[in-house]
Amino acid sequence: MKQRLARRLASLVLSVGAWVSVGVTHNPAYPQHLQLHNQTSVLAQAQTQSAVTAIESVGMTVADMDKSIAFYSQVLSFQKVSDVEVLGTEYEQLQGLFGVRLRVVKMQLGSESIELTEYLTPKGKPFPIDSRSNDRWFQHIAIVTSDMDKAYQRLRSFKVQHASTAPQTIPASNKAAAGIRAFYFRDPDGHYLETIYFPSGKGDPKWQKPANQLFLGIDHTAIVVSNTAASLKFYRDVLGLKLAGESMNFGTEQEHLNNVQGARLRISGLRAPIGPGIEFLEYLQPKDGRPLPPDAKSNDVLHWQITLVVKDADAAAQTLRLNQVLFISPEVVAIPGQKLGFKKGFLVRDPDGHPMRIVEK
């Protein structure tokens, strides 16, 4: 009963943006300072239950699982940690598709993970061949390297598909990112990937530790957004992620990194207490990036999903519905036997259509 009351109060606050009194607080004899104290406590409790505690993994739909496993393990040194096949009503509801049979493989690099999903049925559409880095379905993971030159030579030896013309070094004029080196390339399905090098004093301090590995882990996943303010409202204000940094990136290096002429980007990095970050890429120029296709589905190869962990999936779902977030799953789904590593979950779309999987462990 107390939990339902807490959720109801938080819901009313979120939906109208003002304090609302219920139950005993309507009594004029009830001290005002106690009313405010109780309401603040209820809101804080609801926000705690709904807030993201970790960014657990970044997932993508693949066309051929064995081919993808070979690529990520042989080229990028990921290790396979689980491999399951699932089907049933629960997974249909979770993914928002009828008749699904999924092979799901989790792979790890350092302390970060990716989750690859092959739809054995039904098959979806291939990655759009004419995709560009400023299209709003764009997403990548940034794989940290200890040596950019060696990393690039390794990628060349495996004949990966370039997305950048070559590795680029952010110039000294961009103080927030000066000296960072980066290169975009693509996996066998066409998903964009980035390898990134952080010089001393940049990035998470853990990337500066001595290492005998070429590829170290995943620093962040980047998504193209149409409006930073709208995305901050979703990720920061509703989900509770923290804004960690911002920069304005432009110039020939940025243009050739993204392979978009005239690229001028507002970049914002967000973090949860645990896991890789989420980076917004808002293209101030050019403005011709295309929106997510309206018929996009979870089995299409352009589908990515970021797994966000919360304490209470039902509370998070209620909060998101009150904020008029678009759901892919019709409801919170209980996963039998926690075969995917969580007991409850659901999929939603952010303001630009990027899928998020909210889970309760």
Side-chain angles (χ1 to χ4, degrees):
M1 180 65 183
K2 289 182 179 179
Q3 188 176 29
R4 288 201 302 270
L5 179 58
R7 291 178 185 167
R8 179 59 179 160
L9 279 171
S11 299
L12 291 168
V13 170
L14 287 167
S15 61
V16 303
W19 294 112
V20 177
S21 299
V22 295
V24 70
T25 61
H26 283 297
N27 184 347
Y30 196 74
Q32 185 177 15
H33 72 279
L34 290 180
Q35 293 181 33
L36 293 174
H37 173 75
N38 288 348
Q39 291 163 352
T40 301
S41 298
V42 166
L43 177 60
Q45 180 183 358
Q47 288 176 330
T48 299
Q49 295 299 312
S50 301
V52 172
T53 60
I55 297 174
E56 184 176 72
S57 65
V58 183
M60 64 195 85
T61 298
V62 302
D64 184 325
M65 182 62 78
D66 292 331
K67 190 174 182 179
S68 293
I69 291 172
F71 175 84
Y72 282 95
S73 60
Q74 294 173 16
V75 180
L76 298 169
S77 304
F78 282 80
Q79 300 293 318
K80 185 170 74 170
V81 294
S82 65
D83 188 340
V84 299
E85 196 169 306
V86 297
L87 74 162
T89 303
E90 297 86 359
Y91 304 100
E92 294 175 350
Q93 292 178 336
L94 182 66
Q95 302 303 125
L97 282 172
F98 175 75
V100 302
R101 187 181 186 102
L102 311 173
R103 182 182 175 190
V104 183
V105 172
K106 193 170 186 177
M107 303 190 76
Q108 187 168 332
L109 181 65
S111 57
E112 292 80 40
S113 299
I114 59 173
E115 187 181 79
L116 308 177
T117 301
E118 179 183 359
Y119 281 76
L120 304 177
T121 179
K123 293 291 186 181
K125 296 185 289 294
F127 204 94
I129 193 169
D130 60 345
S131 286
R132 299 174 69 212
S133 298
N134 62 330
D135 289 325
R136 292 203 296 276
W137 60 80
F138 175 92
Q139 183 165 349
H140 75 227
I141 51 173
I143 301 165
V144 181
T145 181
S146 58
D147 188 313
M148 177 58 78
D149 294 325
K150 289 182 179 178
Y152 181 59
Q153 288 306 313
R154 180 173 179 81
L155 296 174
R156 289 299 301 270
S157 72
F158 281 95
K159 297 180 171 59
V160 302
Q161 182 182 350
H162 282 57
S164 304
T165 55
Q168 303 294 318
T169 302
I170 305 301
S173 58
N174 185 338
K175 293 183 179 180
I180 293 174
R181 303 187 70 195
F183 172 68
Y184 284 9
F185 60 104
R186 301 178 78 170
D187 78 357
D189 286 304
H191 300 113
Y192 286 84
L193 306 172
E194 178 185 32
T195 187
I196 188 167
Y197 169 78
F198 292 103
S200 178
K202 301 293 184 182
D204 191 313
K206 76 176 183 176
W207 305 130
Q208 309 300 331
K209 294 178 180 178
N212 56 8
Q213 295 176 301
L214 183 58
F215 298 110
L216 306 178
I218 299 170
D219 180 73
H220 65 267
T221 182
I223 56 176
V224 169
V225 304
S226 58
N227 184 287
T228 297
S231 294
L232 283 173
K233 181 178 179 182
F234 175 79
Y235 288 95
R236 182 190 62 191
D237 301 342
V238 177
L239 292 176
L241 299 182
K242 304 299 184 184
L243 182 63
E246 295 183 293
S247 68
M248 192 72 71
N249 288 25
F250 56 92
T252 185
E253 297 86 3
Q254 193 68 43
E255 292 180 47
H256 286 88
L257 174 62
N258 299 44
N259 211 357
V260 175
Q261 188 174 16
R264 184 182 183 92
L265 290 81
R266 177 183 177 185
I267 299 179
S268 307
L270 289 92
R271 294 274 170 180
I274 299 171
I278 297 176
E279 188 174 274
F280 300 161
L281 308 176
E282 181 183 355
Y283 277 80
L284 304 178
Q285 294 294 333
K287 303 290 285 185
D288 60 353
R290 294 166 292 176
L292 179 78
D295 61 347
K297 294 182 173 59
S298 301
N299 59 340
D300 294 334
V301 177
L302 62 69
H303 177 89
W304 293 73
Q305 60 188 37
I306 303 173
T307 297
L308 307 173
V309 181
V310 297
K311 291 184 178 180
D312 187 327
D314 294 296
Q318 185 179 38
T319 298
L320 290 164
R321 288 191 190 282
L322 286 162
N323 281 273
Q324 300 182 329
V325 171
L326 180 63
F327 276 61
I328 297 173
S329 310
E331 59 188 19
V332 178
V333 181
I335 302 299
Q338 298 192 41
K339 288 186 178 180
L340 297 181
F342 56 89
K343 66 179 182 181
K344 288 183 178 180
F346 59 94
L347 269 67
V348 296
R349 293 193 184 277
D350 79 354
D352 291 289
H354 298 288
M356 301 291 128
R357 185 170 70 181
I358 315 295
V359 306
E360 177 184 334
K361 303 293 280 186

